[in-house]
């Protein structure tokens, strides 16, 4: 139980740092990387919560979120590069 508390505090601290980078990022690419990092943190937190609660549905939701995060990163990267076609 104490391990979950330590990981929760760590994830909250990392999430706060990432949100600062999203708000104050000097370029759009920095904001995109910070958003992707926030998505990864959220997926990891959901996996830890699934382990804590013993329910597998959170693993499925985490997997879907990770897949959508990859697609989002690719689409925003192409937009920032200047190519509009998929």
């Amino acid at each position: 139980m104490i391990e979950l508390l330590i990981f929760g505090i760590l994830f909250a601290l990392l999430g706060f740092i990432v949100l600062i980078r999203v708000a104050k990022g000097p370029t759009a690419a920095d904001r995109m990387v910070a958003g992707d990092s926030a998505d990864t943190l959220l997926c990891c937190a959901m996996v830890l919560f699934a382990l804590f609660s013993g329910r597998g549905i959170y693993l499925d939701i985490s997997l879907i979120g990770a897949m959508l995060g990859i697609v989002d990163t690719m689409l925003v990267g192409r937009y920032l590069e200047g190519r509009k076609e998929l």
Side-chain angles (χ1 to χ4, degrees), residues 10-21:
L10 180 67
F11 278 127
L13 180 66
L14 290 174
F16 183 69
I17 292 170
V18 165
L19 287 179
I20 288 173
R21 178 53 60 191

Side-chain angles (χ1 to χ4, degrees), residues 2-83:
I2 191 72
E3 294 88 6
L4 183 66
L5 182 64
I6 292 171
F7 279 120
I9 291 170
L10 180 67
F11 278 127
L13 180 66
L14 290 174
F16 183 69
I17 292 170
V18 165
L19 287 179
I20 288 173
R21 178 53 60 191
V22 167
K24 292 176 54 175
T27 64
D30 289 332
R31 289 186 173 106
M32 183 185 72
V33 170
D36 192 38
S37 298
D39 179 48
T40 304
L41 280 174
L42 183 65
C43 289
C44 290
M46 289 177 70
V47 167
L48 286 176
F49 186 72
L51 290 173
F52 174 71
S53 67
R55 300 187 67 194
I57 189 70
Y58 296 113
L59 294 175
D60 297 336
I61 295 170
S62 175
L63 184 64
I64 291 170
M67 288 189 292
L68 289 175
I70 291 170
V71 171
D72 178 45
T73 302
M74 288 190 303
L75 290 176
V76 172
R78 284 190 179 194
Y79 175 74
L80 291 177
E81 188 180 72
R83 295 186 337 198

